[in-house]
Every structure is written in structure tokens, then in C-alpha cells.
Amino acid sequence: MFNEKTLEEARKLQEQWDQAVAKYERDFSSKTSSGIPIKPVYTPLDIQDIEYERDIGMPGSYPYMRSNYPLHYQFQPWINQPVHGYGLPEDTKERMEALTKAGMEGYFGGRAYNLVWDYPGYFGIDPDDPEAEGYIGKDGVSCNTDEDFARMLDGIDLTKNSIVLINGDTLPIFAIYIAYAESQGINRADLRGNTMNWVFTAWYAPNFMWETEDALKLATDNIYFCVKEIPRWNHTNIQGHGVSETGADAVHQMSFCLATAIAVADSCKAAGLEPDKFMAGIGFQIAQCNDFFEYICMFRAWRKLWASIAHERYGCTRPAAMHLRTHTNTSCFELAKQQPLNNIIRSSYHALGAALSGTTAMQVPAYDEPIGIPTEESAILTLRTQQVLLHETGVTRVSDPLAGSYYVEWLTHRMEEEAKKVLKEIENAGGFVKAHKDGMLVRVLREGCDQWREDIETGKRVVVGWNKYATEEDLKVKAFRPDPEVARVSIDPESTRREETRLKQMRP
Amino acid sequence: MSNNGKPRVLLVKHWIDIHDRGLRLIASRCKNAGFEVVYASYSQPEEVVKMAVQEDVDVIGMSFFTSAYEAHLPKVMQGLKENKMENVIVVLGGVIPDEDYDTLKAQGVREIYGAGSDVNQFIELIKAEVQK
């Protein structure tokens, strides 16, 4: 990328720099959170083998490292996708309205309602099943019938807004949703939204109920159905955030997700689906964590790798099928219970990193999530975090603004190489399904968790307010609690709840 | 305690509660401390008691991401009483609001380990109480 004159100058200046720092007689190198060694400074010499057109390119040009689109935030900013859902459908509707009133924006005048189900709903367990006891409406909405959907979504245009159904086993709730939409006279082919299709999350969280191969078959069936019946539906979410929360570093988050997506795509192709059609419905939910530049570089490398895989492995030529469609869910495991307001600062940096990475949608967790589910106030504050970033900082003026930085280009290239290495290891171990069944992937995640904790205990990793600058008394944040009446009313929809207890719980 | 003098620790989570990062860390630390660990999922609280009896454990650690302990804990405590296992140390971990601590302790919970707790305190508690 540089001519010989520039490289000659760079070598000369590097020598001068080496002499200038020699007097410190200390090693100032460090490591990223994935363990990649980092020098204190980068120069043209570090990226001399990188070619502009081949390795960097323009936003919107294959392999899309810089952005999926020629114009990005200038034309369409990232959309707000705050996760919400708790209590009864009408409680969640209130939260949806509060967020809408606070300015939550989706694509082109619509909104994306990122609705999370309670644990029973995650698996299609009815609220009156004894297994659901204690979990109804607690960490997500209890919405189990077409009538429940009506109480939550009445008045919302399901063909213009995006309805995101966050639950694990996907099919039970999705089927009820489609039945509800059709009962409203809507043609299912016109629906817009997203299912998680997380049956294969069993690959990371082993207490899910399906064997790996069976999970993959179920996921494939769902994709097959969507491609044929609801062509604009985003059927699959590859859950990088979940992998990250389970213990993956940046390299493993990216490579495990790519390997997951390859297994899903192979299965869809074997089922006779056309890659140019089904690939566009696969999205990636990406966690932006503390190591600021590493996660930005991960994101850039991820876009490039996915486009290359889509094109080279599956023969995709349609841009949408090669684009890394992303929803950033900024990190939760990096947040701390101690001095909880610090979490607002952490999440703001994560959100900035996501914006500089060129994400297409964003969810920022609330500062009080280590204590409970967000209050209305803290939920709106997460939206404000995005709005201040979008409207006040100018980060949207230029696409991929860090491109060309010696450090960022070097690290992006290195992330790409590291991810390829892991993908190769998985392939050599017999492919992703086998690598999961043998415990190879889960082992990496467990070791990641243990190491993270050990690093905090030894002080190698600083968490402000927890292992450094801790205070005797932390700010007490009262946990938000859904109305205790929720379980009773959810089990018996004919009953009504006592409003006074609800209001008391809502506004402690 | 088992015949070889190792404390026996039962660590459980409801199978639909998928947030297991904390409990797995505890399991690995207990193992490293030389305890015998039984790590299990349950679908109803009665199963926790059954496992505690079958495995003859000294300690039960239950992890919750939500306040499901309100429904599950009384059943576990009652079951332990019925099986004359009141001596078993019961601890809770997970996302548990501070204002619930007193109520839980009054129900017989020995300690509560929320986010950012010192894992070693749990290990030391077992060493002091079971290995004495």
C-alpha cells in the first residue's frame, strides 16, 4: 500500500523511536483480551503487505469489510433495538409505548420491537405447567396464546414494523404469532421480523433440550418454512452475544459464530434451499466488550470473512446474502453490581465501539441489570445512550472512520487470521457438530470464564468499583419487580389482577 | 461427608434457567478445593431434595437468574426437614436483590452470593463447617 520512499522513511523513524524508548529498559508490549500481542505503536511497516483494493476496499464493495453499504449512517443510522418484555402482555405493551414515546426508531419510519419471552415461553411451556412455577413473566413477557398477542400488539402494523420474537425453541411461539397475524387478516408472507432459531444454542448452553443434530434439523425446518412462506422474515440469529457471555473472547466469539452459521448453511443447502435466498435471513448478534479496538477490528474482520464464506463456499452473488447483518448487544458480563452507575459509562464505550464498527442495530443493557430487569427509567436511559451517541457526537458523518489506521488495519488483519485458524481447528476436529458434541467448544468457553474470574481476583483485569477503587457502601438500587399477580393471571386468563398491587410494584 | 472425608456439594439450577456462568465457576472451584461436586438441573424443587438425600450431601447451592427462589426455596427447605436433613447448609447465588437477603436468611439460607461475591468465602465456609 506504500511506496518504497514511505517505507524507507518509516524504517528510519522506527529506528529513532527504538532508540528513544530504549532508555526505559522495560517491555511496554501488552496483549488484547484474546491474547494477541500488541506493541505500543504501529507504522506503515506493519501493514506493508496489505493491499488497498484487495484487503480494505470501499464501503459497499465486496468483501464488505468497511460496511455493507456505499453510504451507511449518513443514509440510515443503526436502528434502536432495546430488548424489552416482562409481566403480562399489557405490561410489555406499556414498555413498548414508553420506548416509542422516548423516540425508539427502526428502519424508515417503522420500529423494531425486540420482545423477550419469559423462561417458560423460551421453551413453549404453558404457564400452568408445574415446571413454569416461579418463572412466569419474570425475565420476559408471559405471552402464550393468540389472545395474549392481541393484548400486546393491538394497533401495531405487523407489515411495517419489525416484530422480534426472542425465545429459544422458537417454533411454539412463532406458530402462535403467525396464527395471531392471520386472525387479523394479514397475509403471512407480508410479516416482518425476526425469530432467534436458537434451538442450536444447545451447542453452547447444554441444558437446552435438543441433541445437536436434532437441533440443527429443527433450525433448518424453520428456515425452510420461512424461505418458502415468509420470504422477508429474518429467520435465524447467530448468537455471538450468548457465546461471549458464556466465556468467549473476541476471536472465539467470531469464529464460533461463523462455524455455527456454516453448519446451519450446509444443512439448509443439503435441504435443497438456495444460498442466495436463505443466507440473507441469517443475522449475527454481536457483543461489543471492553477491549475497545479489538472488538472494532473483530467486527470489520467478521464482515469480510462472512462475505468471503458466502461467496466462495456457497456461491452467493446477491449482496444481501453476503452482508453480515448485525445486531449489536453490548456486553453484559462486563457490567458489575458494585457501583452500578459505572455500568452506564461502560455501556457507552461499548456503544461507541459498535457505532465505529458500523453495526446495523443496537441494544444496550441497562445499568441495573446485575440487580434485576430494567426499570422503565433505566430502559429509557439505554435508549438515550444511543441517541446521544447518534445525534451529539458526529460519529455518523464518516463510514468506517478508523480505516487506514496502521494499528486498526494490522489488528483487523490479525483477527481475520486468528479466526481462520480456529475455523480450521474446528474443521480438522470433524466439523462443528462433532466439535460441539465432543465438548471441544464448550471447554474453550469454560476456560474463558475461569480465566476471566481469576484475572479479576488477581487484579490482572481491573473492574473499577469491584477490584479497584471499591467503596464500603455501594449505591443501593432497588430491584424492579414485575407484579406478583402476573403468574396467577397468566395461568387463569379469565381472572383480572388487583390493580392496586400492580401500581405499587410498578412505582416502588 | 463422604467416606474419604471430602465434603459433598450439590449445585443445582432449574433446567430452563440458562444463565449458568456463575454456578459452573463455583463447581470448578469446589472441584479444585477437593470437594465432591454433584452438578445437576431440576425441573421441580422436590427433585433437589431427592438428589440431596440420594447423594447424601453436606451443602446445597442453588442458583437463580430471577426470583424463582420465592416459589422453590420453601419447598426445598420443607423437604429437607421431612427427611431430617436440616443440617445441610443451603446457599443461594445469582441475581438476587439485596432487599431479599433478610427474608431468605429467615427461611434458613446460610449465605447468599450475588454478582461479584468472593468465591473463596464459599469454599472457606464449607471447609470450616463440613471439614471441621
Side-chain angles (χ1 to χ4, degrees):
Chain A
M1 201 158 69
F2 304 99
N3 61 27
E4 190 45 44
K5 181 172 172 282
T6 307
L7 291 174
E8 192 47 49
E9 287 167 2
R11 278 189 282 271
K12 187 184 76 196
L13 292 168
Q14 179 74 50
E15 270 174 36
Q16 289 172 8
W17 183 89
D18 289 342
Q19 283 165 11
V21 299
K23 65 177 178 207
Y24 294 102
E25 293 179 342
R26 250 179 69 197
D27 179 13
F28 286 92
S29 63
S30 57
K31 279 184 177 167
T32 67
S33 63
S34 298
I36 296 171
I38 298 291
K39 306 184 294 178
V41 72
Y42 286 79
T43 73
L45 297 171
D46 295 294
I47 57 168
Q48 55 182 310
D49 295 329
I50 288 179
E51 286 178 24
Y52 179 65
E53 187 180 356
R54 184 194 66 192
D55 298 315
I56 300 176
M58 282 293 273
S61 73
Y62 177 85
Y64 307 108
M65 183 177 85
R66 303 189 59 186
S67 173
N68 290 342
Y69 316 107
L71 287 169
H72 194 186
Y73 295 156
Q74 307 83 6
F75 176 66
Q76 167 63 55
W78 71 83
I79 66 163
N80 311 126
Q81 278 197 317
V83 173
H84 50 298
Y86 73 95
L88 292 170
E90 53 268 35
D91 297 322
T92 296
K93 191 177 175 61
E94 266 187 26
R95 187 62 64 86
M96 290 162 76
E97 284 166 357
L99 287 165
T100 301
K101 202 174 149 212
M104 177 174 78
E105 286 184 47
Y107 289 117
F108 309 111
R111 273 175 293 281
Y113 294 102
N114 208 12
L115 303 170
V116 63
W117 262 250
D118 61 2
Y119 277 143
Y122 245 68
F123 300 96
I125 297 172
D126 283 333
D128 60 353
D129 188 308
E131 288 197 354
E133 194 190 8
Y135 290 106
I136 299 165
K138 289 269 176 72
D139 62 326
V141 62
S142 178
C143 172
N144 308 288
T145 63
D146 51 351
E147 284 147 19
D148 286 348
F149 268 109
R151 284 150 72 197
M152 187 163 71
L153 300 180
D154 182 40
I156 291 172
D157 185 339
L158 306 182
T159 65
K160 294 215 166 57
N161 296 286
S162 174
I163 305 297
V164 184
L165 312 170
I166 309 176
N167 44 62
D169 264 12
T170 300
L171 300 181
I173 297 297
F174 189 30
I176 297 166
Y177 174 67
I178 296 167
Y180 161 69
E182 291 185 333
S183 77
Q184 302 297 301
I186 297 165
N187 184 348
R188 65 170 76 156
D190 295 330
L191 291 174
R192 312 194 73 134
N194 212 146
T195 37
M196 299 299 107
N197 216 10
W198 278 342
V199 265
F200 46 79
T201 303
W203 291 340
Y204 309 116
N207 48 354
F208 268 44
M209 60 169 93
W210 305 101
E211 288 291 331
T212 313
E213 294 91 338
D214 297 336
L216 191 54
K217 278 185 205 160
L218 267 173
T220 307
D221 280 354
N222 186 35
I223 296 170
Y224 196 93
F225 169 81
C226 291
V227 169
K228 303 282 178 196
E229 302 275 328
I230 318 180
R232 283 191 303 179
W233 191 263
N234 293 319
H235 45 69
T236 305
N237 172 305
I238 306 289
Q239 200 194 11
H241 180 81
V243 183
S244 169
E245 294 293 306
T246 317
D249 56 27
V251 167
H252 287 105
Q253 182 190 168
M254 167 166 54
S255 51
F256 282 13
C257 283
L258 286 168
T260 310
I262 289 170
V264 170
D266 281 351
S267 175
C268 290
K269 207 178 156 194
L273 291 172
E274 213 181 299
D276 254 339
K277 281 193 178 156
F278 73 77
M279 293 286 268
I282 298 176
F284 292 81
Q285 181 190 3
I286 297 179
Q288 200 83 20
C289 305
N290 280 5
D291 199 317
F292 191 74
F293 288 105
E294 181 174 49
Y295 279 85
I296 293 169
C297 294
M298 171 196 78
F299 214 118
R300 299 174 86 236
W302 199 330
R303 262 196 303 264
K304 182 178 176 186
L305 278 168
W306 179 239
S308 317
I309 290 166
H311 183 60
E312 289 165 20
R313 186 177 174 120
Y314 298 103
C316 293
T317 53
R318 199 179 142 222
M322 296 187 279
H323 286 167
L324 186 81
R325 201 166 47 73
T326 56
H327 163 86
T328 293
N329 188 342
T330 63
S331 181
C332 293
F333 81 83
E334 303 271 27
L335 308 185
K337 186 182 178 191
Q338 293 75 15
Q339 302 181 9
L341 292 179
N342 295 350
N343 292 332
I344 302 174
I345 303 161
R346 292 189 180 100
S347 293
S348 299
Y349 289 131
H350 299 159
L352 174 61
L356 294 174
S357 306
T359 192
T360 40
M362 213 188 297
Q363 131 79 9
V364 177
Y367 74 89
D368 52 359
E369 288 193 41
I371 294 134
I373 66 167
T375 61
E376 184 174 306
E377 186 190 32
S378 69
I380 287 173
L381 199 52
T382 73
L383 191 56
R384 299 289 181 240
T385 304
Q386 296 190 41
Q387 289 164 336
V388 168
L389 180 60
L390 175 66
H391 296 292
E392 298 186 14
T393 65
V395 286
T396 58
R397 278 188 204 120
V398 173
S399 297
D400 191 26
L402 300 183
S405 145
Y406 310 122
Y407 173 41
V408 167
E409 294 302 352
W410 175 85
L411 186 55
T412 302
H413 184 68
R414 184 67 192 264
M415 294 300 285
E416 186 187 334
E417 294 304 309
E418 294 293 323
K420 280 181 181 166
K421 256 189 245 168
V422 178
L423 284 169
K424 193 80 196 154
E425 280 168 27
I426 293 171
E427 201 183 307
N428 291 343
F432 192 68
V433 172
K434 187 160 185 306
H436 173 260
K437 284 182 85 86
D438 292 348
M440 171 182 157
L441 308 172
V442 171
R443 223 166 15 247
V444 171
L445 301 178
R446 301 269 178 270
E447 283 167 13
C449 282
D450 288 356
Q451 190 62 49
W452 175 81
R453 185 69 187 210
E454 202 182 301
D455 289 348
I456 287 172
E457 287 172 358
T458 57
K460 198 173 153 196
R461 186 184 182 98
V462 171
V463 183
V464 171
W466 178 3
N467 68 355
K468 198 165 190 171
Y469 314 116
T471 38
E472 289 286 314
E473 268 294 301
D474 278 334
L475 173 74
K476 291 282 177 220
V477 177
K478 199 166 185 303
F480 176 78
R481 286 163 193 271
D483 179 2
E485 291 274 284
V486 164
R488 191 176 60 78
V489 179
S490 192
I491 290 168
D492 177 15
E494 298 301 313
S495 66
T496 49
R497 65 172 158 198
R498 293 185 291 271
E499 280 296 314
E500 64 276 22
T501 61
R502 174 161 174 264
L503 291 174
K504 192 162 164 267
Q505 292 296 328
M506 294 275 297
R507 297 179 184 84
Chain B
M1 197 146 43
S2 55
N3 296 334
N4 56 18
K6 289 179 176 179
R8 293 176 65 79
V9 185
L10 172 64
L11 299 174
V12 288
K13 235 179 139 55
H14 194 287
W15 77 271
I16 63 175
D17 183 343
I18 54 178
H19 293 84
D20 60 0
R21 184 172 177 147
L23 195 62
R24 287 192 182 274
L25 173 81
I26 308 286
S28 120
R29 291 295 173 87
C30 284
K31 200 180 111 205
N32 294 346
F35 307 158
E36 290 194 358
V37 180
V38 181
Y39 186 97
S41 297
Y42 65 95
S43 60
Q44 286 176 47
E46 290 77 5
E47 292 164 25
V48 178
V49 178
K50 208 168 152 188
M51 286 188 274
V53 172
Q54 278 173 357
E55 298 288 341
D56 190 24
V57 298
D58 308 295
V59 182
I60 301 175
M62 302 179 74
S63 166
F64 294 95
F65 184 66
T66 73
S67 56
Y69 48 79
E70 289 165 355
H72 298 191
L73 186 69
K75 292 184 181 176
V76 171
M77 298 315 273
Q78 180 61 27
L80 290 176
K81 203 172 157 191
E82 283 163 13
N83 286 279
K84 300 193 171 29
M85 291 186 80
E86 293 101 325
N87 291 338
V88 170
I89 298 170
V90 177
V91 304
L92 256 53
V95 181
I96 300 174
D98 292 351
E99 56 266 27
D100 284 4
Y101 281 23
D102 288 346
T103 319
L104 290 168
K105 287 193 171 170
Q107 286 177 277
V109 172
R110 182 61 178 272
E111 289 293 341
I112 297 146
Y113 301 101
S117 300
D118 183 354
V119 188
N120 296 321
Q121 280 180 5
F122 179 49
I123 304 294
E124 292 307 318
L125 172 81
I126 297 173
K127 281 184 179 165
E129 298 282 325
V130 182
Q131 286 185 319
K132 68 188 168 192

